[in-house]
């Protein structure tokens, strides 16, 4: 059998695939995303020897290891991120939110922060540097947990290695770069072992109905993730975040996102920043 060198998708095939992606990952692909789906899945279809999108769809839904679904979301999701993206959030975090958390936990010295939808890790490494800076010498006496999760195994592999090209690492202010990063060669840097140790990277689908966390979080960053979700999915997710936030804890979302003030369980504080009363 000769396989096509480039694949086309029928309306029915597109509908089936986008329903699957929505149901499993909450990602909403509008009618205009047909070309994106074709473009991003070409390689998978070619390498997998599929005869077309129907053949590929059947494989993904019938395959039991979950690898097919994982490859699908890796290809579809947008992992764009960079160090100190939407930098004002990090200023507020280190100057206001973190000091308040440290006060609140002065007795138990137990701090919980979740970077949900961390992509290739840049956001989590910034938070980890700010936490280490905020705790200073007291760090050893604190149980400061930074959990960073994403659905994309590929993005998480980059995050866990903590290796980034020079031009990306140059976005980190020099004093922090010197303290927490090591040059590997002319082109790459790696997060120091001490910095990597601060973060637990895990694969986690935010669509899971149940969050398996025993303790509530003091701060949740979920920025530029919910833009891909429809209103209903977003609202249910925000409710689950709220259920897992401690009173007085914060939620940060992306600046281009909005939760709508009416049905939002958090109280709005500032653009893209909320608090649980
Ligand atoms: C554009 S990146 C945002 C990265 C970072 N938070 C930032 O603001 O720069 C969006 C991330 O959300 C992840 N994502 C999308 N759907 C998800 C889901 N259902 N569960 C977990 N992560 C998801 C994607 O894999 C991607 O890495």
């Amino acid at each position: 059998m000769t396989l096509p060198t480039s694949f086309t998708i029928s309306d029915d095939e597109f509908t089936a695939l986008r329903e699957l992606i929505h149901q499993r990952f909450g990602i909403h692909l509008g009618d205009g995303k047909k070309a994106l789906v074709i473009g991003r899945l070409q390689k998978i279809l070619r390498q997998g020897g599929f005869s077309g999108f129907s053949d590929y769809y059947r494989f993904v839904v019938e395959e039991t290891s979950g690898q097919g679904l994982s490859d699908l979301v890796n290809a579809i999701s947008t992992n764009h991120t960079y160090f100190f993206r939407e930098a004002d959030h990090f200023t507020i975090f280190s100057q206001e939110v973190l000091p308040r958390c440290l006060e609140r936990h002065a007795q138990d010295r137990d701090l919980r922060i979740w970077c949900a939808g961390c992509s290739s890790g840049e956001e989590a490494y910034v938070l980890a540097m700010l936490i280490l800076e905020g705790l200073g010498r007291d760090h050893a006496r604190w149980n400061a947990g930074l959990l960073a999760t994403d659905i994309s195994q590929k993005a998480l592999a980059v995050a866990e290695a903590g290796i980034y090209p020079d031009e990306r690492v140059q976005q980190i202010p020099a004093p922090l770069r010197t303290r927490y990063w090591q040059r590997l060669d002319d082109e790459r840097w790696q997060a120091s072992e001490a910095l990597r140790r601060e973060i637990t990277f895990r694969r986690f689908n935010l669509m899971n109905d149940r969050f398996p966390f025993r303790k509530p979080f003091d701060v949740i960053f979920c920025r530029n993730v919910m833009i891909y979700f429809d209103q209903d999915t977003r609202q249910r997710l925000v409710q689950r975040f709220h259920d897992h936030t401690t009173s007085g804890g914060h939620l940060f979302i992306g600046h281009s996102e909005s939760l709508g003030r009416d049905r939002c369980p958090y109280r709005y504080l500032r653009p893209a920043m909320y608090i649980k009363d």
Side-chain angles (χ1 to χ4, degrees), residues 25 27 77-82 85 117-119 123 150-152 204-207 223-225 228-229:
F25 308 112
I27 298 172
S77 66
T78 299
N79 301 119
H80 175 69
T81 186
Y82 49 91
R85 180 179 195 179
C118 65
S119 187
E123 188 179 46
D150 202 279
I151 189 77
S152 165
F204 182 68
N205 187 349
L206 290 167
M207 287 307 100
R223 304 186 314 159
N224 306 302
V225 177
Y228 307 108
F229 300 167

Side-chain angles (χ1 to χ4, degrees), residues 96-161:
E96 297 176 31
V97 173
L98 184 61
R100 238 176 280 145
C101 289
L102 299 186
E103 250 174 61
R104 198 166 52 230
H105 289 289
Q107 295 301 315
D108 64 6
R109 297 203 201 99
D110 193 4
L111 184 66
R112 256 141 239 284
I113 293 166
W114 180 14
C115 179
C118 65
S119 187
S120 42
E122 287 85 334
E123 188 179 46
Y125 282 111
V126 171
L127 289 171
M129 287 188 282
L130 298 179
I131 293 168
L132 285 174
E133 291 290 299
L135 288 173
R137 285 159 183 263
D138 281 346
H139 173 250
R141 301 195 303 138
W142 278 74
N143 180 14
L146 173 55
L147 174 69
T149 62
D150 202 279
I151 189 77
S152 165
Q153 200 70 62
K154 205 164 142 197
L156 284 171
V158 175
E160 268 175 338

